[in-house]
Structure formats: C-alpha cells, structure tokens
Amino acid sequence: MSAYGKYVVKKFFWYFVTLIVAIALNFLLPRMIEGNPVSVIVAQMTQGMTESDTIKRVYDTFAAEFGIDQPLHVQFFIYVKNLLTGNWGTSFGLYPKPVTEILASAIPWTIGLQLPAILVGWIIGNVLGAVAAYRKGVFDKVIFPVALFVNSIPFFTLAIIMLYAFALTLKWFPMHGGYDYQMIPSLSWEFIGSVLRHHTLPFLSIVLVTIGGQAIGMREMSIYELNSDYVLYSKLLGIRDSRIARYVFRNAMLPQITGLALSIGTMVGGSLICEIVFSYPGIGTWMFTAIRQLDYPLISGCTLLIALAVLLANFTIDLIYGWIDPRIKAAQMEDQ
Amino acid sequence: MNHSVRILLKSPKFMLGAVLLLLMIGVVMIYPLINRNDPLEMIALAYQPPDSKLLLGSDNFGRDLFLELIYGIRTSLQVGLIAGVFATAIGLVIGLASGYIGGMIDNLLTAVTNIFIVIPSFVILILISVSIDSRSSFVTAAIIGITSWPWTARAVRAQTSSLRNRDHVNIAKISGYSTPRIIMYEILPYIASYVVMAFVLQMASGILAEASISMLGLGPYNTISLGIIMNWALVFEAPVAGAWWAFIPAALSIAVITFSLYMMNTGMDEIFNPKIRS
C-alpha cells in the first residue's frame, strides 16, 4: 500500500474511534439528568394536562423510544440503531415533527453561511498575515494590532454590532431571517436576491473575525520562516525575492492548514451563535429555540450533527494535508 | 525569574494588556463599594436611554445597566480565572504524565487528547450544561475548564517528551531523585513560560466560552455575567427596541478583556520565543 493509503487508513481509524466517543457522549451526558429522564421530560411535556390516560400514553411513547427499561448498554445499541436508521427522535417543541426533518431544513442554511465564510476568511487572513510579515514597517504595524483586536471580538459581538449599525441604524440590510418572510422559496431572481441580502451581514461578521485570527497565526509563522537559515542562504545565493516569498509561503502554510483543522470546532460554534443574532434559519437558531423550550431530542440532534460536521471537516482537512505535505510524499517515494 | 519579569515589564504589548486588565479589575472591585445598590433592583422604566443618573441606561426590567455591567465583568473574570486554572491544571498533569512516562500511558493519553481536540468542546459544554439543573458560576467555570484542557495537554506533552532525554534530566535520574522531584525541578522550570502563556489564553477562551454558552441561555443561574446581559438583550429584543446600551457595552467589555489577555500573551510570546520577534 502506498504511504498516502496508509496515512488515510490510519486517519480513518482514529476518526472512527472519535466518532464513537462523540456518539457515546451524546448518549450518556443527557442521561445524567437526575432521576429518570423520561419522567422529567414527561413532567415538562404534560404540564397543564389533566387526563391521566394521555400522560401515561406520552410516558409510554418516550419510555419505548429511550428503551428506558433496558440496561444501559442495550439502550446504547438501541440509540445507535435508531441513529443509523434515521430515527433521531421527535421534537417536543414542534411535536410531532421528527428531529431529522427540522435538521434537514436547517442544514443548507448553515452550510451555505459557514463554509464560504470560513474559507474566505481563512484565505484572506493568510494572505494578509503573510504580507504583514513580509512587508513589515507601517503595514505590519497597522494590520497586526487591528487583527489582534478583531480576533478578540467574539463572533457574536461583531454580529450584534453589525446588526445594530447596518441593519437597524443605516437600514442597508434586513434584520433577521434567511429571506423575506412573505416570499415563497422558489428559484426566482427576486428570491435569490433576498437570500443574498440576508446572507451578507452574518457572512461578513464571520469572515472578519476569521480573518483576524488567521492573519495573526500566519504572520507569526511567516516571521519564524523568514528568520530561518534557508531564507538567508537563498538571499546570499541571489535568488529573487518573489521566489523566496513563495518558499516561505508554502512552508508557513502547512501549519496553518493544521491550525484550520484544529480551530474549526471553535469557529463553527462561534458561527452558530452568530446565526442566533440574525435569527438565521440554521442549526444555531434552532438550537437556541430548542434550549429555551427544553426540547431535549432537538438539542441532542443539533449537538450530534455539529459534532459529526466538525469531525467530517477535520477528516477532509487531514486528507488534503496528507496529500500536500511533502514529507508524506517523500515517504511514498522511498517506499517505491 | 526576576530577570524575565523585568524583561516583561519592558514589553509594550504585555504592559498595555496588563494595565488594561488591572484597570478593569480595579474598577469592578471598587465600584460596588461606592454604589451599594443591588444590580437586580428595578429602579427605572424599561430601556431608558443613558443620562447623567443612569450612565448606561436601563434594561428591559428597568435595572441600572452600568451596575449590571460592573457585576457582569466581575463574574466573567472570575469564570475565566477558574476555567483557566482547571484547564491548565488538567492539561499540565496529563501532558506531563504522557510526556514523561512515555510508552503505553503516553499512547493512551495522546489518543484521548487527540479525540477531545477534534470533538468540539462547545458541544460537550452544551450537553453537560443542559443536563445539570442548578448551575452556579463556579460549576459553569469548572465545566468550561474540564472541556478545554486538550490544547494545553498537547503542548505540554510535546515540550516534556523533548526535555525527558536531556542530559540534566538523565543526571538527575542517575542521582536517584524521585520522579516527582525530577518533574518539579528539572522539567517544570523549562516549560513554566509555556504554561503561563497557556493559562492566559485559556482564561481568554474561558471568558468567551462562558459568554457563548450564556447567550444560548445555558449560563449560570442567580448571577450576572456579560453573556447573560447579552442573552437578556437578545431574548427581550433590545436591538429591535433600538436599545444599543443594553448590548454594545457588554459586547465591547468582552472584546476588551480578551484583547488585553491576548496582548499579554503576544508580549510574553515575543519574549520567550525570540525567533518570532519581527
């Protein structure tokens, strides 16, 4: 097997183990609720209900769904089986809508917002960071403190400030939602325009904060590389500056890719809260609603989905990393 | 040690961060002694704009927002501090154990660390907070600390395992020193600067984590934190009411606290890692 193949198999194994741990946590932690979770939930569900028959029926439904009368490991297997067959439970808040249906309606919004925002922010941030390190002087003196300050603003803080400035005061952009609510989703220009207008502010607030963090990291990596021996040696050899810059950029880039993998969880978490500020119809806003209504199945559906998405993103980045890291290629050539 | 402190005092970045932070700590310690009102007392109408009496206006319940903000900053700093201590302590112990002992224990602990680096701590934080009914700010801080140690553990492990085979450690081993003593006197001094820096970063991310979780409505009960102020503002639609004073000061306070901590961290980083000085 090629070195890259081995790398992929090894990574896949570890991500599989991580996946199982994530699912187990998602299963175990909500079951720490003191007392019998089903009776706690049913007590909340049936507040105000008087008919004892109905209450009993609700109790039995949930008891069966949770498999509460079985030992813990059997419950876990029931849980995993339900997950695999697409049965993620029924929402309390929007009873009797299944959790999967709610999540499926939210996923396109969240992905459409976060994936481009994080990628764009990451790319711009890296370029700015590299330029700041390379040009030094005024450029560095301006970019660096600004980036540092932007980076310390939490995602949702910037979101709230932008909401207030551009949506409320200047009225350039709409305040909340994913599209004008009187519209019916369709493939018309009008609808797409409305979606884009609603997309702008949350998108920008995620991009700006991401730029800050990435620029700082890239600047540090580039300065580190610029001070290294190979740069001095290349300069003494008289190699053109643009070429050296390319070497430096490639070397500084590798840790930045790992950095993206490691910080993607935090970024996704921050962006989800950004959604709440704009009442964007994605996972974050649903989770906010679910928490306020103590809609346990929806909460646990959201957390599981977020964990899965972050794992998948990490795995993808790791695969790309293995493909471009020259050290793994070198090992491949040695093998042949 | 004195020497490095003296260099630190000369770093403008570190000093800027430290002065900002100390100033803020000073204000939130002293102001409640001057204004002895209860921050939760309703003294005005809803969303009254700032004037000479109410410095930052009132919130949806007609409470003095400036006083709430002071108490909020105090809680947030406390939460950050406790979370930072927990995260750094756990990370340090796991990192030292896996880096110094090596072998099977190292493999096991590294695997656990890697697993918890990938699973977003945000998710675990939500799951635990949803499951615990009465959360004090201490409990929230402890949960944040317990979910954010893997970064420190990984960094400490890397440092420790490279230190383990240095000559001075080997000499200490041959001289028959006990393991705790070797770790205490031969390893820790070398990673102390990293640990302090990690602690500062953990404190900043602890404050951010508290704000995020409180925004979601899973913050500590019976207290005021910056995240809780923002949660109230969102739940009671302060932006729609045009009440910027209900959320912008709290939002900026979080930014200023984290900024000052990041500044301190960058200042220290440039001193302890001369290679990244520009």
Side-chain angles (χ1 to χ4, degrees):
Chain A
M1 206 193 290
S2 71
Y4 186 61
K6 269 185 212 152
Y7 173 84
V8 172
V9 170
K10 205 175 125 202
K11 284 282 169 198
F12 184 79
F13 170 75
W14 277 113
Y15 276 100
F16 189 69
V17 173
T18 312
L19 178 70
I20 292 172
V21 174
I23 293 177
L25 284 174
N26 223 57
F27 166 80
L28 277 176
L29 291 176
R31 279 166 183 71
M32 291 187 341
I33 307 175
E34 275 164 56
N36 175 349
V38 174
S39 55
V40 173
I41 290 166
V42 170
Q44 271 155 5
M45 273 283 297
T46 53
Q47 249 170 15
M49 283 191 205
T50 43
E51 243 177 291
S52 59
D53 264 9
T54 327
I55 296 178
K56 189 169 182 317
R57 221 178 305 138
V58 173
Y59 185 92
D60 287 344
T61 316
F62 285 116
E65 200 164 282
F66 277 73
I68 201 73
D69 45 350
Q70 316 273 348
L72 203 62
H73 66 274
V74 180
Q75 284 185 42
F76 183 65
F77 282 118
I78 295 175
Y79 178 75
V80 173
K81 203 187 98 208
N82 284 345
L83 286 185
L84 290 179
T85 50
N87 175 9
W88 288 32
T90 312
S91 162
F92 295 168
L94 290 174
Y95 198 78
K97 239 185 182 186
V99 167
T100 37
E101 200 174 300
I102 298 175
L103 293 180
S105 74
I107 288 174
W109 293 102
T110 295
I111 292 182
L113 177 65
Q114 297 200 5
L115 193 67
I118 290 177
L119 281 181
V120 168
W122 186 73
I123 292 169
I124 299 181
N126 277 314
V127 171
L128 278 182
V131 171
Y134 197 70
R135 284 275 172 79
K136 291 177 186 144
V138 187
F139 204 66
D140 188 29
K141 290 238 154 55
V142 176
I143 285 191
F144 179 65
V146 172
L148 200 62
F149 187 69
V150 171
N151 184 42
S152 44
I153 302 177
F155 282 80
F156 51 86
T157 299
L158 195 66
I160 290 188
I161 293 173
M162 286 179 88
L163 174 80
Y164 183 73
F166 295 111
L168 251 156
T169 314
L170 297 171
K171 298 204 185 326
W172 289 354
F173 296 100
M175 284 220 16
H176 45 67
Y179 53 90
D180 289 312
Y181 60 88
Q182 70 272 27
M183 276 186 182
I184 299 157
S186 60
L187 261 180
S188 65
W189 287 115
E190 215 184 334
F191 181 72
I192 293 174
S194 166
V195 167
L196 283 180
R197 256 186 309 118
H198 283 81
H199 185 265
T200 314
L201 279 186
F203 175 78
L204 281 182
S205 55
I206 300 175
V207 167
L208 283 178
V209 176
T210 312
I211 288 180
Q214 294 303 323
I216 296 169
M218 187 62 183
R219 174 183 171 272
E220 249 165 51
M221 282 318 304
S222 303
I223 291 176
Y224 181 85
E225 292 291 334
L226 282 170
N227 289 341
S228 59
D229 292 338
Y230 74 88
V231 172
L232 183 64
Y233 182 65
S234 319
K235 273 188 185 153
L236 293 177
L237 282 180
I239 294 176
R240 258 183 296 130
D241 258 12
S242 59
R243 187 139 194 203
I244 301 178
R246 212 159 63 219
Y247 293 151
V248 169
F249 191 76
R250 281 173 63 174
N251 277 322
M253 220 38 223
L254 280 178
Q256 282 300 96
I257 293 176
T258 327
L260 178 66
L262 292 178
S263 56
I264 206 135
T266 325
M267 283 187 200
V268 169
S271 322
L272 288 174
I273 293 179
C274 210
E275 284 181 7
I276 301 173
V277 173
F278 292 99
S279 320
Y280 207 72
I283 305 284
T285 308
W286 276 113
M287 194 154 70
F288 185 54
T289 320
I291 287 171
R292 282 210 290 172
Q293 300 177 332
L294 290 174
D295 187 344
Y296 290 105
L298 188 53
I299 297 173
S300 108
C302 287
T303 49
L304 186 66
L305 188 70
I306 297 165
L308 287 181
V310 170
L311 283 187
L312 191 67
N314 264 298
F315 186 57
T316 316
I317 297 171
D318 263 347
L319 290 189
I320 298 174
Y321 184 82
W323 188 52
I324 54 175
D325 185 354
R327 279 162 294 191
I328 292 173
K329 267 193 209 153
Q332 204 168 351
M333 283 199 302
E334 266 168 37
D335 275 0
Q336 281 161 3
Chain B
M1 200 58 207
N2 276 331
H3 180 64
S4 29
V5 171
R6 234 177 299 131
I7 306 178
L8 265 183
L9 293 182
K10 280 189 194 145
S11 156
K13 281 178 188 149
F14 179 82
M15 284 310 285
L16 175 68
V19 167
L20 258 178
L21 191 67
L22 286 178
L23 212 67
M24 229 162 349
I25 294 176
V27 171
V28 298
M29 295 304 267
I30 294 166
Y31 188 77
L33 300 178
I34 302 168
N35 185 346
R36 286 170 172 277
N37 292 332
D38 179 2
L40 293 175
E41 196 187 335
M42 301 169 194
I43 53 164
L45 296 173
Y47 293 137
Q48 227 168 288
D51 56 29
S52 55
K53 222 175 117 256
L54 290 170
L55 284 176
L56 285 174
S58 64
D59 69 0
N60 56 296
F61 295 121
R63 298 178 295 206
D64 181 355
L65 260 167
F66 186 71
L67 195 58
E68 281 190 297
L69 189 71
I70 297 288
Y71 278 87
I73 295 176
R74 202 160 79 169
T75 313
S76 288
L77 284 172
Q78 278 167 359
V79 167
L81 193 70
I82 297 167
V85 168
F86 266 87
T88 314
I90 300 173
L92 191 61
V93 170
I94 293 188
L96 281 174
S98 98
Y100 188 78
I101 300 170
M104 267 310 285
I105 290 177
D106 182 24
N107 289 339
L108 191 72
L109 289 177
T110 308
V112 172
T113 310
N114 286 340
I115 285 174
F116 281 97
I117 278 183
V118 182
I119 298 176
S121 58
F122 180 71
V123 162
I124 304 178
L125 197 56
I126 291 175
L127 284 174
I128 299 182
S129 302
V130 166
S131 313
I132 296 179
D133 249 351
S134 53
R135 303 177 292 269
S136 64
S137 58
F138 179 80
V139 170
T140 303
I143 302 171
I144 294 173
I146 291 169
T147 53
S148 54
W149 54 268
W151 291 94
T152 317
R154 181 184 266 195
V156 168
R157 182 201 163 267
Q159 296 288 323
T160 311
S161 61
S162 87
L163 280 167
R164 187 180 55 170
N165 295 322
R166 298 259 180 96
D167 284 346
H168 68 274
V169 178
N170 284 332
I171 291 173
K173 270 188 206 156
I174 296 165
S175 313
Y177 288 148
S178 65
T179 310
R181 201 195 144 133
I182 296 178
I183 289 179
M184 199 60 204
Y185 292 100
E186 309 296 334
I187 306 261
L188 265 184
Y190 290 83
I191 57 172
S193 63
Y194 282 89
V195 174
V196 172
M197 272 159 40
F199 170 71
V200 170
L201 280 189
Q202 295 279 17
M203 190 172 159
S205 61
I207 290 171
L208 287 183
E210 186 277 329
S212 320
I213 200 93
S214 300
M215 282 269 289
L216 278 171
L218 289 173
Y221 290 141
N222 294 329
T223 182
I224 302 172
S225 76
L226 293 172
I228 291 176
I229 295 179
M230 308 251 287
N231 177 260
W232 286 332
L234 275 188
V235 170
F236 297 104
E237 312 219 302
V240 185
W244 57 267
W245 54 89
F247 51 89
I248 295 213
L252 283 181
S253 309
I254 299 175
V256 171
I257 298 173
T258 31
F259 177 68
S260 63
L261 289 169
Y262 282 161
M263 268 316 218
M264 286 168 70
N265 182 67
T266 318
M268 284 191 271
D269 208 9
E270 284 181 6
I271 283 153
F272 298 134
N273 289 341
K275 269 196 167 174
I276 61 161
R277 276 180 224 170
S278 54

